[in-house]
């Protein structure tokens, strides 16, 4: 079976489909055949400057056409890209040295990249042919603490994931896939590769411009994390209440009239949010995967079960420990079998000797092959009385309030639960938070009840280093920032 990566570097796509890049400052549109041609010219220039197969280039920039061109030019050369997320990394000589970069391209390189891609230049160098174990990119775990770990991603893992997704969702000529998370996250680039291979449109935007861009471009598929959809749900509910229109009408107004389905993953999604969008006429499908495994399972139109994260994909093997319910994943085409950059012992903790990934999650597989994730192994708090409390369902219950965007629970002294919540808006609605705290506690057993709530100020954010790039709370960072309030019995909203 021909490699998808080999296919997209070896021959141009058929004309008629396009890439759009939509930001707050405007829209750029380019036919995919012209994108391929420009990437070839850029590859030729990089090669003339001494960039050769096996070298590594870094890209530290916001989503842009230049980002896409550099990534595709690197594929055309057999060069490894290292995608650095702005805000998490700073351009420096140390970055070049630490990650052995031949060049580091930043937002300031944009004009030069565009000029080189659009101008006539030397002949394109020979097209590389990739083996499944070859790597094309160095990606970084989002991580909640410390320096991000590097992971070189194999061609085999990319190919197998794209092929499995295409079998499930059948993206075709009428589709426009919408992405807005950073292109430094490899999976966001999957959809550009998919467009080049399978013939559909793709739109790249940013989180800040996402809602504006959707109204403008009318996508058929939106790729988003649960936090994005939670924000959209609250917006739709508020607009529907104010306008006397239905959730369906407001959802279509926000996402556009052409939505075929919504994709979510990367973090746990609440059942209430998933049901909301499906009931509003926008079916949403949750999946499961890690940086270290790529996509493991996915709900889709042909196989969907509420509460699960879908059936396990071909080429993935999920192993459930019979004693602890710990989830491990073995892949026919692993992303890799160790980290490229990590502290001593970190690779060994994550990867078994045969490459099996210890996910740190707990779950089970039902008789029909659907995978259910119950939470992280470390989501369980053991109180001083021996009672075990699983905090994820409690956090999800708190997030059901329109006044609360995110919730993280701690247990100082292993006696009473304390929630740190990020308000949905500022100033926070303390009365609404207090009311919801009381309502939530009324549904819980005594040991599961929240003793008090600390309202984070400022709210959690990527810029404040309290959310990852995929909008997951950084628990240890949040604990460090709010330790004094968590431990001070006089501060916070008490039950």
């Amino acid at each position: 079976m021909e490699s998808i990566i080999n296919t997209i570097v070896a021959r141009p796509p058929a004309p008629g489909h396009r890439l759009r890049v939509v930001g707050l400052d405007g829209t750029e549109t380019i036919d995919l055949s012209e994108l391929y041609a420009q990437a070839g010219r850029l590859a030729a220039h990089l090669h003339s400057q001494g960039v050769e197969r096996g070298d590594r280039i870094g890209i530290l920039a916001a989503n842009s056409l230049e980002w896409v061109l550099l990534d595709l030019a690197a594929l055309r050369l057999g060069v490894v890209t290292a995608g650095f997320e702005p805000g998490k990394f700073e351009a420096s000589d140390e970055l070049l040295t630490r990650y052995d970069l031949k060049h580091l391209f930043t937002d300031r390189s944009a004009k030069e990249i565009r000029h080189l891609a659009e101008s006539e230049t030397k002949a394109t160098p020979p097209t590389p042919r990739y083996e499944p174990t070859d790597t094309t990119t160095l990606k970084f775990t989002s991580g909640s603490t410390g320096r991000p770990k590097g992971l070189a991603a194999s061609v085999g893992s990319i190919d197998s994931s794209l092929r499995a997704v295409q079998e499930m969702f059948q993206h075709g000529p009428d589709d426009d896939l919408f992405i807005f998370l950073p292109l430094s996250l490899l999976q966001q680039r999957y959809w550009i590769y998919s467009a080049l291979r399978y013939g559909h449109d793709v739109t790249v935007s940013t989180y800040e411009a996402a809602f504006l861009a959707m109204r403008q471009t009318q996508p058929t598929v939106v790729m988003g994390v649960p936090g994005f959809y939670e924000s959209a749900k609250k917006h739709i509910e508020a607009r529907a209440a104010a306008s006397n229109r239905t959730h369906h009408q407001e959802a279509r107004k926000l996402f556009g009239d052409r939505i075929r389905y919504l994709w979510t993953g990367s973090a746990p999604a609440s059942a209430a949010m998933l049901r909301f969008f499906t009931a509003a006429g926008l079916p949403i499908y949750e999946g499961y995967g890690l940086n270290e495994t790529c996509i493991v399972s996915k709900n889709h139109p042909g196989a969907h079960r509420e509460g699960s994260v879908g059936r396990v994909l071909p080429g993935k093997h999920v192993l459930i420990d019979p004693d602890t319910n710990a989830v491990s994943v073995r892949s026919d085409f692993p992303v890799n079998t160790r980290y490229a950059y990590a502290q001593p012992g970190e690779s060994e903790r994550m990867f078994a000797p045969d490459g099996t990934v210890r996910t740190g999650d707990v779950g089970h597989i039902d008789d029909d092959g659907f995978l259910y994730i119950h939470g992280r192994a470390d989501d369980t708090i053991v109180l001083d009385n021996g009672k075990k409390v699983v905090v994820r369902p409690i956090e999800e219950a708190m997030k059901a309030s329109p006044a609360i965007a995110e919730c993280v629970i701690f247990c100082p002294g292993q006696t009473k639960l304390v929630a740190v919540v990020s308000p949905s808006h500022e100033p926070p609605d303390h009365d609404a938070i207090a009311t919801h705290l009381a309502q939530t506690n009324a549904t819980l057993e005594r040991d599961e009840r929240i003793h008090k709530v600390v309202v984070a100020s400022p709210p959690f954010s990527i810029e404040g280093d309290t959310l990852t790039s995929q909008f997951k709370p950084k628990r240890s960072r949040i604990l460090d920032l709010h330790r004094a309030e968590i431990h001070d019995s006089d501060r916070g909203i008490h039950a």
Side-chain angles (χ1 to χ4, degrees):
M1 192 178 295
E2 180 64 13
S3 160
I4 291 171
I5 294 298
N6 282 332
T7 298
I8 66 174
V9 301
R11 61 175 183 259
H17 294 289
R18 58 189 176 176
L19 164 76
R20 282 184 289 199
V21 181
V22 183
L24 294 175
D25 55 350
T27 300
E28 295 181 274
T29 302
I30 183 171
D31 192 275
L32 294 183
S33 57
E34 176 59 21
L35 180 73
Y36 179 88
Q38 289 194 17
R41 291 194 286 270
L42 180 57
H45 176 80
L46 293 174
H47 188 257
S48 73
Q49 297 300 305
V51 179
E52 300 179 346
R53 182 163 190 171
D55 286 340
R56 185 181 296 163
I57 63 170
I59 307 174
L60 174 58
N63 288 0
S64 62
L65 176 58
E66 290 75 24
W67 218 120
V68 176
L69 286 167
L70 279 166
D71 184 60
L72 296 178
L75 285 177
R76 299 278 288 274
L77 288 171
V79 168
V80 175
T81 56
F84 299 106
E85 184 184 332
K88 187 173 288 185
F89 295 90
E90 297 293 335
S92 66
D93 290 340
E94 194 226 346
L95 202 66
L96 284 157
T97 303
R98 186 194 313 156
Y99 297 110
D100 192 25
L101 305 178
K102 196 75 174 275
H103 294 287
L104 175 63
F105 296 93
T106 69
D107 294 294
R108 288 175 298 205
S109 309
K111 273 188 183 175
E112 178 192 0
I113 296 302
R114 186 71 60 88
H115 171 74
L116 295 171
E118 292 175 348
S119 63
E120 294 299 326
T121 186
K122 301 177 178 63
T124 305
T127 301
R129 182 166 184 82
Y130 292 95
E131 297 299 323
T133 54
D134 290 337
T135 58
T136 66
T137 193
L138 180 67
K139 59 180 179 176
F140 297 92
T141 63
S142 55
S144 57
T145 59
R147 180 176 289 174
K149 297 181 286 289
L151 190 67
S154 72
V155 168
S157 70
I158 298 170
D159 281 348
S160 61
S161 294
L162 282 171
R163 194 170 288 114
V165 168
Q166 183 63 14
E167 288 176 3
M168 288 186 286
F169 291 101
Q170 297 295 308
H171 298 134
D174 293 330
D175 277 315
D176 183 353
L177 275 60
F178 182 83
I179 59 177
F180 59 87
L181 293 176
L183 290 172
S184 54
L185 303 172
L186 172 62
Q187 189 173 314
Q188 304 309 303
R189 285 173 266 158
Y190 278 10
W191 315 121
I192 296 167
Y193 305 159
S194 173
L196 291 165
R197 172 61 182 85
Y198 295 114
H200 58 76
D201 291 352
V202 60
T203 297
V204 176
S205 188
T206 63
Y207 195 93
E208 295 77 15
F211 291 128
L212 172 67
M214 287 190 299
R215 286 194 295 271
Q216 178 180 327
T217 61
Q218 301 281 300
T220 62
V221 180
V222 176
M223 307 290 181
V225 292
F228 170 77
Y229 293 116
E230 291 285 0
S231 297
K233 173 178 176 287
K234 291 174 181 177
H235 175 84
I236 291 165
E237 289 172 326
R239 294 287 298 176
S243 64
N244 203 30
R245 286 190 287 265
T246 67
H247 289 161
H248 174 83
Q249 289 171 319
E250 287 296 338
R252 289 286 174 176
K253 189 174 179 182
L254 186 63
F255 283 85
D257 289 327
R258 296 206 310 139
I259 292 294
R260 183 155 74 88
Y261 75 91
L262 308 177
W263 168 298
T264 192
S266 302
S270 72
M273 182 271 286
L274 296 172
R275 284 195 294 266
F276 174 86
F277 280 103
T278 299
L282 280 64
I284 183 168
Y285 298 104
E286 185 179 15
Y288 173 71
L290 288 74
N291 267 312
E292 293 82 359
T293 63
C294 204
I295 307 167
V296 173
S297 64
K298 187 72 183 176
N299 282 297
H300 59 95
H304 178 223
R305 183 157 295 177
E306 185 175 325
S308 81
V309 289
R311 281 198 175 124
V312 178
L313 271 56
K316 300 293 183 184
H317 310 275
V318 172
L319 314 172
I320 308 291
D321 186 282
D323 297 321
T324 64
N325 293 328
V327 176
S328 295
V329 177
R330 186 173 67 244
S331 304
D332 291 351
F333 296 99
V335 175
N336 212 301
T337 57
R338 64 179 299 106
Y339 293 119
Y341 296 91
Q343 297 298 314
E346 288 190 325
S347 288
E348 291 74 15
R349 281 191 289 273
M350 177 61 74
F351 300 96
D354 68 350
T356 297
V357 175
R358 305 179 183 100
T359 69
D361 293 316
V362 292
H364 79 278
I365 297 177
D366 70 13
D367 293 340
D368 295 320
F370 286 89
L371 175 62
Y372 294 76
I373 298 298
H374 305 309
R376 299 286 298 168
D378 55 8
D379 278 349
T380 300
I381 292 173
V382 181
L383 302 177
D384 62 357
N385 63 5
K387 170 75 174 180
K388 293 182 179 179
V389 177
V390 181
V391 300
R392 177 179 160 189
I394 306 172
E395 292 169 345
E396 292 297 331
M398 287 294 290
K399 286 164 57 179
S401 167
I404 298 172
E406 193 57 77
C407 173
V408 180
I409 289 177
F410 302 99
C411 190
Q414 304 309 114
T415 55
K416 296 177 179 178
L417 303 185
V418 175
V420 180
V421 304
S422 178
S424 296
H425 46 76
E426 292 190 283
D429 189 338
H430 289 89
D431 290 340
I433 294 171
T435 298
H436 191 70
L437 171 61
Q439 292 170 345
T440 301
N441 277 342
T443 68
L444 300 171
E445 298 294 328
R446 181 170 60 87
D447 286 326
E448 297 173 332
R449 292 170 187 160
I450 298 169
H451 172 63
K452 74 168 185 175
V453 168
V454 172
V455 181
S457 181
F460 302 163
S461 67
I462 295 173
E463 297 75 18
D465 198 31
T466 45
L467 294 177
T468 70
S469 59
Q470 297 181 61
F471 299 89
K472 302 177 189 176
K474 294 186 173 184
R475 291 179 180 269
S476 58
R477 171 66 173 163
I478 292 165
L479 176 59
D480 287 342
L481 288 173
H482 299 283
R483 191 182 302 274
E485 298 164 276
I486 290 169
H487 285 272
D488 189 338
S489 59
D490 293 329
R491 301 168 73 177
I493 299 171
H494 288 74

